[in-house]
Amino acid sequence: MGSILFMKNRKTFIPIIFIICFSIVSALCLIMQGDDFVWYYVYETEELFSHRNPNGRYLTNEITYMMVRYPIIKYLVYASAESLLIILASRLMDFENKSDILKYALFFSLFVTLPKEIYSNVLNWISSFTNYGISMIFTLSYILFSFRIMFEKEYYPERLWLISAPLLGFIGAFCVEHMTLYNIFFGIASIVIIYKLRKRVFAANILYFLSSVAGFFVMMSSSEYSGIVQENSDSTGLRTIDFSIDDIFMQIYLRIIPDYAKKFFIIHILIAICFLFLYYKADKSKWNCMVRRYTEICMIVILAYSCYSVFVNCCSDLTDFDWSMKVRALETAFAFVYFTALIYMSMILIKINSRIRFLIYLISTVVSVLPFLVVNPVSSRCFFADGIFWILALGELFFSCCEKSEFFRSEEIKKAFCIFSVLAGVFMCVINISNKYCNTLRINYIKEQVDNKSNIVEILTLPYDNYIYDDLSSDNIFNNCIEDDFGYTDLLFLYYGIDIDKDNFNYIFIDIMDYNSNPD
């Protein structure tokens, strides 16, 4: 008995150690970029005066400042936060604990293969990770706590949760606005669902909801938000809120639909496979004609959407020919039909507890992006939570399949996902290490050329520049996005102690192969 328990703990221990090692490597490879430089110099540079109190993200603003200022804090906070995020989400993915190592391998595999736009904008960017990554830790912690109350009938929250739950709600409100709103939504939803399932209300859930609401009002008390609502009054000059119907539809077509679902094509392929398997295994003798017809139609829709997502990611995205946006309107309709098909199939093919969790995750993908109907600017990093919820929804389907067949929990499947997750983690480490090495080489090479007063400065391009926001890329260099003649590149040169004359600074881009081929 003792040896069996040891082996089970060992199987869980190994993936956790791997996750921690991966997070440490990722932390060590972080490169200062974009807003990281703004936070580093925010109290020292006059041009950054308007950025000193840019919003109500009081917690993550302070964490960001400490991380960019003190490397040891950066490494400790990032490695700890990313590890905790992956472990928490893996635990949620297999809430009923039907596997040991498989949940970690499955979630990690999908986590590191998130679309590169999200990965580069969140996981490889300090000032973005603190907002979007750390906020998810607060949210997932409360979801896990709520699920225990919902689905473990003998579980009653410890008294410590009377303190912990309101702290999660209140402190978690000071990370990023759309997740603050999501926390309020899930606070209400958890109370209603728990009451339906347990026929009672728990004080910890009520305190979480109230503290989330209180945190929201404290966050919104920042004068910056009233300035954003008043047109052209934002201190940074970037953010707007538009409530007109035309603007909302354009926001859906241009900002939300391109990132909401179709970029997660690996997830949609696996969702289609899982539903196809559950459909095949279902006892159809109890279905009437209408149920048979609707399930067949929904199965076709799910398979079609998975094929469509593969096509637009691996071949070419669909393009509009005029501003009537007919293609985007059709994509929006297709996403809605797909979403409806997933709901219907879950009602037919998944057991009640798994269905509730699946629907919570599925609805969460929508709720987490709803604020972006009226808010600008919107970028890929805004869909990080959306991606995590899609992964968790897939997890519920996958482990529902595990109940139906030994194959899904066989040693062969475990080994396949473990090998894939390790390889994916190693490849991502190679990408991050290569970018870190080349960035260090690039900065030293620029310093050398500037010191030698070279007429044309050669700037190395990073080998994997699609996995990082690069201030020295051809798209971003001297783009003056802070003020008329002042931008991220100016702060980068100041940070690395490179003194240049911008008016006479001539440069060309070379790749690492050209650099290593240079005889000098």
Side-chain angles (χ1 to χ4, degrees):
M1 183 71 180
S3 61
I4 293 174
L5 184 62
F6 171 76
M7 288 300 293
K8 187 173 182 179
N9 291 337
R10 183 167 170 262
K11 284 184 177 181
T12 303
F13 181 72
I14 291 173
I16 290 176
I17 292 298
F18 177 76
I19 290 166
I20 292 172
C21 290
F22 172 83
S23 298
I24 290 172
V25 173
S26 299
L28 293 172
C29 292
L30 287 172
I31 298 173
M32 292 278 287
Q33 53 190 305
D35 291 335
D36 301 343
F37 296 116
V38 173
W39 281 107
Y40 189 92
Y41 287 109
V42 72
Y43 297 112
E44 299 179 11
T45 307
E46 189 63 30
E47 289 87 347
L48 301 177
F49 178 81
S50 62
H51 292 261
R52 290 174 187 175
N53 296 292
N55 47 49
R57 305 173 186 178
Y58 303 117
L59 174 65
T60 50
N61 286 349
E62 289 302 316
I63 294 175
T64 303
Y65 180 75
M66 297 295 287
M67 286 179 70
V68 299
R69 272 288 177 174
Y70 306 103
I72 187 64
I73 294 178
K74 172 177 68 177
Y75 302 139
L76 288 174
V77 170
Y78 185 92
S80 302
E82 186 178 56
S83 298
L84 184 56
L85 174 60
I86 296 172
I87 293 168
L88 268 173
S90 300
R91 175 72 181 86
L92 277 168
M93 196 175 207
D94 179 23
F95 178 77
E96 295 181 2
N97 206 26
K98 298 169 185 173
S99 72
D100 38 40
I101 194 172
L102 185 55
K103 57 175 168 281
Y104 297 104
L106 179 58
F107 181 82
F108 184 82
S109 298
L110 296 169
F111 181 76
V112 296
T113 53
L114 282 169
K116 58 183 178 294
E117 297 87 357
I118 294 178
Y119 204 100
S120 62
N121 275 256
V122 177
L123 300 171
N124 281 341
W125 194 340
I126 299 170
S127 54
S128 182
F129 177 78
T130 53
N131 294 322
Y132 297 90
I134 291 178
S135 65
M136 283 302 295
I137 294 175
F138 288 102
T139 299
L140 295 180
S141 297
Y142 179 71
I143 292 176
L144 182 58
F145 166 67
S146 296
F147 280 3
R148 290 199 67 190
I149 299 176
M150 291 177 195
F151 306 113
E152 296 177 11
K153 301 303 181 183
E154 303 301 320
Y155 176 73
Y156 291 87
E158 299 83 358
R159 290 190 176 183
L160 182 61
W161 278 105
L162 294 175
I163 300 172
S164 302
L167 280 177
L168 281 175
F170 190 72
I171 298 175
F174 306 130
C175 296
V176 65
E177 295 80 2
H178 71 287
M179 292 311 296
T180 300
L181 291 170
Y182 174 82
N183 292 342
I184 294 173
F185 157 78
F186 188 74
I188 299 173
S190 63
I191 293 171
V192 173
I193 296 171
I194 289 170
Y195 181 76
K196 288 285 187 180
L197 296 175
R198 299 284 298 267
K199 304 305 179 186
R200 62 172 296 178
V201 176
F202 291 86
N205 301 103
I206 295 175
L207 289 172
Y208 175 85
F209 167 67
L210 294 176
S211 63
S212 296
V213 173
F216 170 76
F217 282 110
V218 173
M219 178 187 236
M220 291 296 120
S221 66
S222 171
S223 59
E224 287 296 315
Y225 297 109
S226 59
I228 295 170
V229 173
Q230 300 168 14
E231 191 173 356
N232 299 323
S233 297
D234 179 22
S235 62
T236 66
L238 299 172
R239 299 164 294 186
T240 61
I241 297 179
D242 301 304
F243 291 101
S244 72
I245 297 298
D246 289 342
D247 287 330
I248 288 174
F249 272 102
M250 290 305 291
Q251 194 78 342
I252 292 172
Y253 295 156
L254 298 178
R255 298 285 181 267
I256 294 179
I257 286 302
D259 288 295
Y260 164 68
K262 66 181 181 180
K263 284 190 176 180
F264 308 109
F265 69 98
I266 297 176
I267 296 172
H268 297 306
I269 292 171
L270 294 175
I271 285 176
I273 292 172
C274 289
F275 268 127
L276 194 61
F277 176 81
L278 291 171
Y279 176 77
Y280 172 75
K281 284 287 186 178
D283 181 8
K284 303 178 184 63
S285 61
K286 299 178 181 179
W287 295 358
N288 59 36
C289 294
M290 295 298 291
V291 172
R292 287 175 180 273
R293 186 177 303 168
Y294 288 146
T295 50
E296 288 173 0
I297 293 171
C298 289
M299 195 67 250
I300 292 170
V301 169
I302 292 170
L303 290 170
Y305 194 88
S306 67
C307 294
Y308 152 78
S309 65
V310 171
F311 177 84
V312 297
N313 282 278
C314 299
C315 298
S316 175
D317 202 352
L318 302 177
T319 302
D320 271 295
F321 288 88
D322 55 52
W323 284 102
S324 63
M325 307 299 286
K326 292 184 179 67
V327 172
R328 287 288 177 261
L330 288 172
E331 285 188 306
T332 303
F334 194 12
F336 175 77
V337 173
Y338 175 63
F339 186 86
T340 306
L342 292 177
I343 293 175
Y344 182 81
M345 293 295 276
S346 71
M347 300 294 288
I348 300 297
L349 299 175
I350 308 177
K351 290 182 178 179
I352 180 66
N353 287 351
S354 293
R355 183 196 312 156
I356 292 171
R357 292 191 293 269
F358 176 80
L359 291 176
I360 286 173
Y361 295 140
L362 193 61
I363 294 170
S364 294
T365 64
V366 175
V367 175
S368 64
V369 303
L370 277 181
F372 306 127
L373 291 174
V374 297
V375 173
N376 267 306
V378 176
S379 63
S380 295
R381 58 185 170 181
C382 300
F383 295 87
F384 178 69
D386 173 47
I388 298 298
F389 287 129
W390 275 114
I391 295 175
L392 293 175
L394 167 62
E396 281 301 329
L397 283 179
F398 182 86
F399 288 105
S400 293
C401 292
C402 288
E403 288 185 356
K404 299 282 187 179
S405 172
E406 288 287 339
F407 173 74
F408 277 87
R409 55 181 184 271
S410 65
E411 287 301 316
E412 289 76 12
I413 289 293
K414 288 182 182 179
K415 287 177 183 178
F417 274 110
C418 287
I419 291 170
F420 183 85
S421 64
V422 169
L423 290 176
V426 169
F427 287 149
M428 192 55 63
C429 286
V430 168
I431 288 173
N432 291 336
I433 292 170
S434 299
N435 279 341
K436 180 70 172 181
Y437 167 75
C438 288
N439 184 68
T440 304
L441 192 67
R442 170 172 67 178
I443 296 301
N444 292 333
Y445 187 43
I446 293 173
K447 284 182 179 179
E448 178 186 330
Q449 294 175 89
V450 170
D451 291 342
N452 292 335
K453 296 182 171 30
S454 300
N455 293 327
I456 299 178
V457 174
E458 296 179 338
I459 300 177
L460 271 70
T461 57
L462 297 181
Y464 303 101
D465 56 357
N466 53 354
Y467 273 91
I468 189 171
Y469 177 90
D470 186 8
D471 297 302
L472 291 178
S473 68
S474 57
D475 293 331
N476 298 324
I477 190 168
F478 296 123
N479 61 4
N480 302 326
C481 62
I482 298 176
E483 289 197 358
D484 291 340
D485 195 32
F486 189 76
Y488 292 143
T489 312
D490 302 272
L491 292 175
L492 181 149
F493 285 135
L494 178 63
Y495 177 80
Y496 288 110
I498 302 174
D499 187 16
I500 64 166
D501 178 5
K502 284 176 64 174
D503 295 331
N504 298 304
F505 184 73
N506 300 309
Y507 56 89
I508 60 171
F509 293 100
I510 63 170
D511 60 32
I512 188 65
M513 293 180 66
D514 292 330
Y515 173 82
N516 287 325
S517 301
N518 191 335
D520 296 332

